[in-house]
Amino acid sequence: MVCPEPLFQVDVEELVDMEVRNSFARIFESFLHRQPLFKNKEALRHSYTPDELPHREEEINALATILAPALKGETPSNILIYGKSGTGKTIVSKFICRGLRETGKKYGVPISTVYLNCEVTDTQYRVLANLAKHFGENVPFTGWPTDKVYAAFKEAVDERRQNVIIILDEIDRLVSKGGDRVLYNLTRINSELQRARVSIIGISNNLKFTSYLDTRVQSSLGEEEIIFKPYNAKQLEDILKQRAELAFEPGVLDEYVIPLCAALAAREHGDARRALDLLRVSGEVAERENAEIITEIHVRKANEKIERDNVVEAVRTLPTQSKVLLYAVILLEERGTKFITTGKIYQVYKSLCRAVSIDSLTQRRISDLISELDMLGILNSTVISKGRYGRTREIKLEVPLKDIKRVVEEDIRLRSLSKFTLTQTRLI
DNA sequence: AATCCACAGGAAGCCCGGGAAC
DNA sequence: GTTCCCGGGCTTCCTGTGGATT
């Protein structure tokens, strides 16, 4: 996500500013000889699982209590875990599963755990194929009938006596993409197994997602529910302190840095992931400035950088059609159009398509693309009714216009858009 | 109260590419 | 090579709707 700008370029600019032009050798020398700020940057990554998870004791206990029967060969209840992003759901689940496996190993109880992120593995087929692969079956990523994959998984799992715990992270993604049949199958699989037993841990940040499920799945999946509360600023501070000790050289952090990172992340619904990113990027910013100490200013800069980078990256990776659509909104915004509606956007969009000679999509499809951009937080759309003048969506740009305009124009196929003016359409 | 606008958004189905099996 | 299956992007067709206007 956050890709640091090349060190080289920035340093050169700075040197010119400082009117130090002797030689590049000096840059390299200083790079090599300056005191490092980081001791182990990995400790600030999301993927890092520390040995202790502060302020999640209750959740850990709850989860451990539910899963403990696996150690006696009994089948633990299925569990649903709810909580906003960065509240430790994933890390706690992985942490517990690791402990469970290790304890099982110690006492000779076979327990295997599988972690699947349903944002990537978002269909029935993919979930089953991944599970089957985990148990040694060779399933192609497409091609087989789903029943066959299911059978392959069942057979592989049932080869020996074992307790299997499947973690389905972002399980709500599965439902929104019609992969909920797999949940139905998985929750009933135990009745078809001879030796193995399967339990599911579903992780979701959407409290209401079960309402979209079949009632039978609802009740069997949600046998136990655990809710992860967001961290408050004080708790985030503790987490950051713990990681900072591992990540930074002693004495490089100004005393206000951690509280500020914690406070900024607490504003974002207590997101620990954001707090860690903030701390890491602050360090990187300071490093690039050749600073010896990381200060509040670096944190502020890091915060801006993270927000900008997120948006730019989101826009850069959009499909071409969405970029053209976004460009239509940008042009309308630049024109100061008061009510930007689906219809207006569609007309501008069509002329843009003509200008860059690509096929235009139907208004129905564009309506869906607008919703997607809304979900990404790039646009904001609200359905409004203008009485006699119809019901439509009022759409606003949610991100800095200049930044994203540049990003869209960078697309090779859309270069010529920069020359386009709205007078070419009869609108507005 | 009836009408009517400008869409929202659901449902069904088409088409295509990727891949396995025959 | 042909057939079958899956997922994703898309179109077509359709019904529904909030509130200004008639």
Side-chain angles (χ1 to χ4, degrees), chain A residues 7 11 13 34 66 86 127 162-163 170 177 180 182 194 211 230 247 256-257 296 299 318 366 368 371 427:
Chain A
L7 278 174
D11 278 359
E13 277 170 15
R34 82 176 167 220
I66 300 168
V127 169
Q162 61 177 334
N163 255 309
E170 308 203 35
K177 287 223 179 174
D180 46 345
V182 70
Q194 305 292 323
S211 57
Y256 298 110
V257 167
E296 209 180 310
V299 180
L318 287 176
I366 288 302
D368 277 345
S371 305
L427 266 178

Side-chain angles (χ1 to χ4, degrees), chain A residues 120-357:
Chain A
V120 196
T121 317
D122 57 357
T123 60
Q124 157 156 253
Y125 186 93
R126 286 182 190 158
V127 169
L128 290 173
N130 268 300
L131 289 173
K133 266 185 205 159
H134 184 268
F135 290 97
E137 288 287 319
N138 204 1
V139 179
F141 73 85
T142 170
W144 283 13
T146 315
D147 300 359
K148 189 173 169 183
V149 188
Y150 179 67
F153 163 62
K154 216 165 58 184
E155 202 175 298
V157 158
D158 213 19
E159 246 168 34
R160 62 194 183 103
R161 202 175 67 79
Q162 61 177 334
N163 255 309
V164 177
I165 293 165
I166 302 172
I167 306 178
L168 295 173
D169 204 348
E170 308 203 35
I171 192 170
D172 39 322
R173 291 300 184 101
L174 219 48
V175 182
S176 61
K177 287 223 179 174
D180 46 345
R181 271 209 67 82
V182 70
L183 295 179
Y184 181 77
N185 286 332
L186 285 178
T187 49
R188 326 192 87 217
I189 195 171
N190 283 334
S191 59
E192 300 175 34
L193 295 176
Q194 305 292 323
R195 287 177 281 268
R197 283 287 169 265
V198 172
S199 309
I200 298 169
I201 302 179
I203 303 179
S204 163
N205 43 28
N206 179 0
L207 253 169
K208 285 186 290 183
F209 103 97
T210 49
S211 57
Y212 307 113
L213 290 174
D214 180 307
T215 42
R216 287 166 296 183
V217 181
Q218 244 178 62
S219 56
S220 62
L221 197 59
E223 285 170 331
E224 299 277 356
E225 296 190 352
I226 302 176
I227 294 176
F228 279 51
K229 289 192 287 288
Y231 295 106
N232 60 33
K234 193 80 200 67
Q235 294 171 332
L236 285 175
E237 246 185 88
D238 290 339
I239 295 172
L240 289 180
K241 271 185 202 153
Q242 175 209 34
R243 302 284 189 101
E245 249 175 58
L246 300 166
F248 291 106
E249 293 292 344
V252 300
L253 282 180
D254 182 286
E255 59 174 318
Y256 298 110
V257 167
I258 288 183
L260 181 58
C261 288
L264 287 172
R267 251 186 358 207
E268 300 259 328
H269 62 257
D271 186 341
R273 225 180 283 176
R274 178 66 182 255
L276 289 167
D277 277 342
L278 206 49
L279 191 56
R280 179 173 51 82
V281 178
S282 305
E284 286 168 357
V285 170
E287 208 166 50
R288 215 166 300 149
E289 291 181 0
N290 275 326
E292 285 174 8
I293 287 180
I294 305 168
T295 65
E296 209 180 310
I297 298 166
H298 298 128
V299 180
R300 303 249 177 231
K301 283 187 185 168
N303 197 35
E304 278 172 31
K305 180 171 162 50
I306 289 174
E307 277 180 16
R308 210 174 43 234
D309 284 358
N310 284 346
V311 171
V312 165
E313 198 46 37
V315 172
R316 201 193 307 279
T317 51
L318 287 176
T320 312
Q321 291 287 358
S322 299
K323 283 185 187 166
V324 178
L325 160 63
L326 190 56
Y327 206 80
V329 183
I330 292 173
L331 291 181
L332 285 165
E333 284 257 352
E334 274 186 337
R335 256 311 180 83
T337 312
K338 277 216 173 122
F339 291 104
I340 302 184
T341 61
T342 309
K344 284 181 189 169
I345 291 178
Y346 188 61
Q347 290 195 43
V348 177
Y349 159 82
K350 274 206 293 194
S351 11
L352 289 177
C353 285
R354 248 176 277 130
V356 292
S357 25

